[in-house]
Amino acid sequence: MNYRHAFHAGNFADILKHLVLTLCLEHLKAKPKPVRYIDSHSGIGAYDLASDEAERSPEWKDGVGKLLNADIPEEARPALEPYLNLIREMNPDGLKSYPGSPEIAARLLRENDRMHLCELHAADSVTLDDRYKRDKRVKVEKRDGYKAIEALVPPPEKRGLVLVDPPFEDRDELAHMAEAVMGAIGKWPTGTYVFWRSLKNLWAADRFDAGLAHWLITEQGIDPEKILRADLWVRDLASEGKLAGAGVVIVNPPWTLEEQLVGAMPWLADTLAQGDGYGWRVDGAFTDEDLEDLADD
Ligand SMILES: C[S@@+](CC[C@H](N)C(=O)[O-])C[C@H]1O[C@@H](n2cnc3c(N)ncnc32)[C@H](O)[C@@H]1O
């Protein structure tokens, strides 16, 4: 448990994940019925950009620091504005803090919606609980998020979203994620799920995505259209140094999400680029060839 998200808060990887989270929650809110938000790896909720960690590793300066005052092209605005407005509301006097996934949900969700936050790190779970203990919509648990997901679904609200955002400290993180996810999706196939994974190893990420998509389509009868992948890399993925790429796989995304992301990603990739070989992709995590093979089986 060495990972501290404070070193990375507001970097390019957070931006894509939190952009997707914002758009998914906004879409769920379009109907009056209450929704449940489940965050398996919550962190501390919000991050002080003047903290020691953020000062020592100012990844946010190459991330959210480049977005807030940028001139955003028309086609990218529908996707980016809800996310950026939330950060602006949180920072009326200039960028000082960055919302983690719990804070994004807490700011977007309504009185009758509910949030279940899991954080295993002892001190971080206390910080998280302190932040939300007066918010009746929120339950914080110091608990293994992987084990929690399956136990927490289906929620009574029947509509909602599960975010799975592990630290990727462990070499087997993708396998743990796949195992937890399969248990949960089997029990609650209509929930929206957002899985974050790094692109340190493109082959491993592609294998996870394709394996998950294959299982969802063949075993759960999920329509291939209900699986979406969005990745962003800020320089050549083979380059040395800090994380160069990351993204999310979304199961049961809002039908509007793909178009919104495709509108924003070219500008986002250009703006957040840190070197040659940067890029993005928004696709179904499954090639047309894979789908044809499935149809032949
Ligand atoms: C990438 S951070 C989460 C960031 C957060 N979701 C956000 O977007 O603001 C991962 C968090 O998972 C916590 N963690 C690690 N293993 C865990 C586990 N098995 N269950 C729950 N939390 C865990 C870490 O302490 C860390 O705070």
Side-chain angles (χ1 to χ4, degrees), residues 3 17-18 40-43 100-101 119-121 143-145 165:
Y3 179 90
K17 168 180 61 190
H18 293 154
S40 65
H41 296 70
S42 293
S101 47
E119 170 55 52
L120 195 57
H121 188 281
R143 178 175 185 184
D144 182 339
D165 181 21

Side-chain angles (χ1 to χ4, degrees), residues 124-243:
D124 287 359
S125 68
V126 172
T127 309
L128 185 69
D129 193 42
D130 280 349
R131 186 171 183 92
Y132 297 110
K133 64 184 172 207
R134 277 176 295 280
D135 189 334
K136 291 196 173 60
R137 303 168 304 167
V138 182
K139 182 170 173 64
V140 173
E141 281 193 294
K142 180 184 171 298
R143 178 175 185 184
D144 182 339
Y146 285 130
K147 296 206 176 97
I149 309 172
E150 192 175 339
L152 295 176
V153 300
E157 291 81 6
K158 300 215 167 53
R159 300 178 64 246
L161 183 147
V162 179
L163 173 67
V164 189
D165 181 21
F168 278 81
E169 283 179 311
D170 186 336
R171 287 171 67 98
D172 297 329
E173 200 90 58
L174 282 169
H176 295 317
M177 187 145 85
E179 201 184 328
V181 159
M182 288 179 177
I185 298 184
K187 283 177 72 187
W188 189 33
T190 54
T192 295
Y193 295 81
V194 178
F195 306 110
W196 185 88
R197 80 268 179 286
S198 64
L199 289 181
K200 278 181 213 158
N201 179 339
L202 191 61
W203 175 82
D206 278 352
R207 229 182 74 162
F208 169 80
D209 301 349
L212 178 63
H214 185 271
W215 177 80
L216 287 167
I217 296 164
T218 56
E219 304 290 319
Q220 297 298 314
I222 291 208
D223 181 344
E225 308 250 309
K226 300 267 176 86
I227 306 164
L228 188 66
R229 164 171 72 178
D231 283 326
L232 175 65
W233 50 101
V234 291
R235 52 178 198 284
D236 191 334
L237 281 171
S239 61
E240 298 286 317
K242 285 187 178 158
L243 185 69

Side-chain angles (χ1 to χ4, degrees), residues 19-35:
L19 176 64
V20 165
L21 176 63
T22 303
L23 293 169
C24 289
L25 290 177
E26 285 288 10
H27 193 266
L28 281 166
K29 274 168 53 181
K31 287 193 180 148
K33 283 193 176 156
V35 303

Side-chain angles (χ1 to χ4, degrees), residues 23-24 27 228 253-262:
L23 293 169
C24 289
H27 193 266
L228 188 66
W255 62 271
T256 43
L257 186 65
E258 181 172 3
E259 193 182 328
Q260 287 170 318
L261 289 176
V262 168

